[in-house]
Amino acid sequence: MPISLDTPFPARPFLSCSPDELVIVDQSDMGAMLTGGDLTPWATVVVGPQNILESAPLRAVVSSNSVVSVECSDCTVVIDFEQETARRTVGGETFVYMSDLTEANDGRGWIALS
């Protein structure tokens, strides 16, 4: 499932974690729910082997304009939506995702930084 980055990172993002995914919604779109409309997430990052999220996201925060820090059950993942990159830290070691964010859910894997 590709992530489309055709629109800029939301100015007022709402982040929702579940054991299976991280969902990012533009809060300005949330009014559609009040009128019975559908709410389309800006991005959904799915948990899966070799995906950006390999374990359940527990908490996510916007750490700067378009950077989201995700605390997972076994690591911390930092996703930079402007640079279209992701890094994760596991036991003090840092890894980078081996593709851009459009393939975040495609299991492209990680490589350790030296």
Side-chain angles (χ1 to χ4, degrees), residues 38-114:
D38 290 329
L39 181 63
T40 302
W42 180 81
T44 302
V45 184
V46 179
V47 174
Q50 299 296 310
N51 284 357
I52 284 182
L53 298 179
E54 289 189 294
S55 60
L58 305 174
R59 186 173 87 92
V61 297
V62 176
S63 56
S64 69
N65 292 338
S66 61
V67 178
V68 174
S69 180
V70 185
E71 180 184 332
C72 295
S73 58
D74 65 349
C75 66
T76 299
V77 178
V78 177
I79 306 170
D80 186 329
F81 287 96
E82 185 175 318
Q83 298 295 318
E84 297 187 27
T85 61
R87 292 178 182 245
R88 75 176 181 177
T89 304
V90 181
E93 190 170 6
T94 302
F95 298 83
V96 294
Y97 194 66
M98 292 181 31
S99 186
D100 63 27
L101 297 186
T102 60
E103 296 181 323
N105 300 325
D106 294 339
R108 299 298 181 211
W110 295 88
I111 188 166
L113 289 178
S114 304

